Amino acid sequence: MVTIRWLPLLALLCLSVGCARLFDPKDEFDRSPMPGAPDYRDERSWAALPTRRDDADATPIGMRHRQLDAPVDVFFIHPTTYFSRDSWNQPLGDERADRGTDFTLRAQASAFNDSGRVFAPYYRQMSLAGYVSASDADRDKALDLAYADVRAAFAAYLQHYSNGRPFIIAAHSQGSGHGLRLVSELMSDLAADRSLRKRLVAAYLIGAPVPRDSLQRVIPGVPLCNAPSQTGCAVFYNSVEAGEDRPKRFERVRAWYPDGYRTIEQPSLLCVNPVTWRADETVSEASAHRGSVHAEPRRPLPEPQSGRVTAQCQDGLLSVSLPDGEWRRFWFGGDQHVNDYQLFYMDIRANAAQRVAAMRKGSNATQGTATPTRGKAKAARKPKR
């Protein structure tokens, strides 16, 4: 049986050597079944909500989440967890995909639960098969459908949950592509109303290859984060093992721009070091590394491993040294895509708190009030769909 962990790695291998015929969706997008749309007024359309128990509550051994009295919110957009060729986009309620999404909440979104209330929508994500398809046009349509759900979920968050509070946008992989578009359309200089930008603590758009010209053409007015306490900025990086060849998937990137998708050959990519939180090529020392967390499905998050990783932005990619042992068992060709969050879990956790503190101190956002939750226990786990 192919596990949740192995399937994304097989896709990365396909992107490197080419195997579209094996994994291409069975039908063209326009002939593929169209999954029903989610209703974000229904709690079952959310993978994580701060008012109930879910996998975004997970913490490493010896730690506790602070969602009950957190000062900001986190809107988390999960990566690809739907692997079927049957449809370009996930039918809602697919149990295997939902289990994968729950794992990403534990391994990734939970890094923010010390600073914010975590909201994470289910959405009709594009299948992993779409990334190895030979059809750019069909892939673009599938991503547009997925993004429409993400934007609808964010609108529902603003209307029903936000209450004017500051927020973090956090995402990985496919989710980061949608997050970039969300920031572009609602918070950049291209937005019809830029008031939301004042509430943006930071956008952690990790694990998506974003060309450097996106700063001017996609999110003008939202700068690249270049200091640990900077707010209203965006973080990007893609992790690769130091000393390995550059993965071939970065040689040709399909990127979204406000006037449509385009293919970029040999792109120069954005990179922020998640240890120093600076957008330069300084090598971070292992002693500065706050800690990796090696998450496993159906297991509690283990104790963090600090002082184990060095990192350096080189040619637009984050070159990392790996801890010994279990980290080396699963990866092909040095591409650490699946580990983008886990290698720097505690660094992200600490940095989110640092940026939130800077936001509150500087009063850079309207400080709304949340529905009172202090002292209340969380509700039962999320209902099944």
Side-chain angles (χ1 to χ4, degrees), residues 304-356:
Q305 304 172 40
S306 61
R308 304 286 294 278
V309 176
T310 62
Q312 180 185 20
C313 288
Q314 288 185 308
D315 298 325
L317 299 180
L318 186 71
S319 178
V320 302
S321 63
L322 296 184
D324 293 330
E326 67 270 20
W327 294 92
R328 296 183 180 275
R329 290 188 301 179
F330 302 103
W331 320 122
F332 294 112
D335 197 326
Q336 295 299 307
H337 181 66
V338 182
N339 274 334
D340 281 327
Y341 268 83
Q342 296 183 59
L343 283 168
F344 304 100
Y345 183 98
M346 293 303 298
D347 302 86
I348 295 169
R349 191 174 183 85
N351 181 252
Q354 194 170 3
R355 294 189 198 276
V356 168

Side-chain angles (χ1 to χ4, degrees), residues 209-371:
V210 178
R212 291 197 65 84
D213 67 352
S214 295
L215 288 176
Q216 291 75 40
R217 301 181 63 183
V218 180
I219 53 169
V222 180
L224 190 64
C225 292
N226 197 33
S229 297
Q230 185 179 356
T231 60
C233 58
V235 170
F236 308 90
Y237 67 83
N238 294 272
S239 306
V240 296
E241 185 173 0
E244 297 287 336
D245 292 338
R246 186 182 183 89
K248 292 186 179 298
R249 69 186 182 96
F250 297 112
E251 294 179 358
R252 178 182 184 273
V253 168
R254 188 74 175 168
W256 180 85
Y257 289 86
D259 59 352
Y261 294 90
R262 64 185 62 188
T263 298
I264 311 296
E265 302 286 349
Q266 303 294 334
S268 176
L269 302 177
L270 294 169
C271 181
V272 173
N273 188 316
V275 177
T276 65
W277 300 103
R278 298 191 181 278
D280 58 26
E281 295 194 351
T282 302
V283 181
S284 64
E285 299 294 333
S287 59
H289 175 235
R290 291 179 177 267
S292 304
V293 171
H294 190 265
E296 294 282 0
R298 298 178 297 279
R299 294 184 181 179
L301 293 182
E303 184 177 353
Q305 304 172 40
S306 61
R308 304 286 294 278
V309 176
T310 62
Q312 180 185 20
C313 288
Q314 288 185 308
D315 298 325
L317 299 180
L318 186 71
S319 178
V320 302
S321 63
L322 296 184
D324 293 330
E326 67 270 20
W327 294 92
R328 296 183 180 275
R329 290 188 301 179
F330 302 103
W331 320 122
F332 294 112
D335 197 326
Q336 295 299 307
H337 181 66
V338 182
N339 274 334
D340 281 327
Y341 268 83
Q342 296 183 59
L343 283 168
F344 304 100
Y345 183 98
M346 293 303 298
D347 302 86
I348 295 169
R349 191 174 183 85
N351 181 252
Q354 194 170 3
R355 294 189 198 276
V356 168
M359 171 72 87
R360 299 182 77 194
K361 182 178 180 180
S363 299
N364 291 333
T366 301
Q367 299 290 333
T369 57
T371 301

Side-chain angles (χ1 to χ4, degrees), residues 72-73 75 154 164-170 179 182-184 186-188 194-205 219 221-223 225 230-235 355-356 359 364-366:
V72 307
D73 294 336
F75 187 81
F154 191 69
R165 289 158 57 90
F167 55 81
I168 291 168
I169 303 292
L182 194 70
V183 172
S184 175
L186 298 181
M187 296 158 225
S188 77
R194 299 176 220 165
S195 59
L196 279 177
R197 189 195 304 173
K198 298 178 181 179
R199 293 162 55 188
L200 177 65
V201 179
Y204 293 81
L205 305 177
I219 53 169
V222 180
C225 292
Q230 185 179 356
T231 60
C233 58
V235 170
R355 294 189 198 276
V356 168
M359 171 72 87
N364 291 333
T366 301

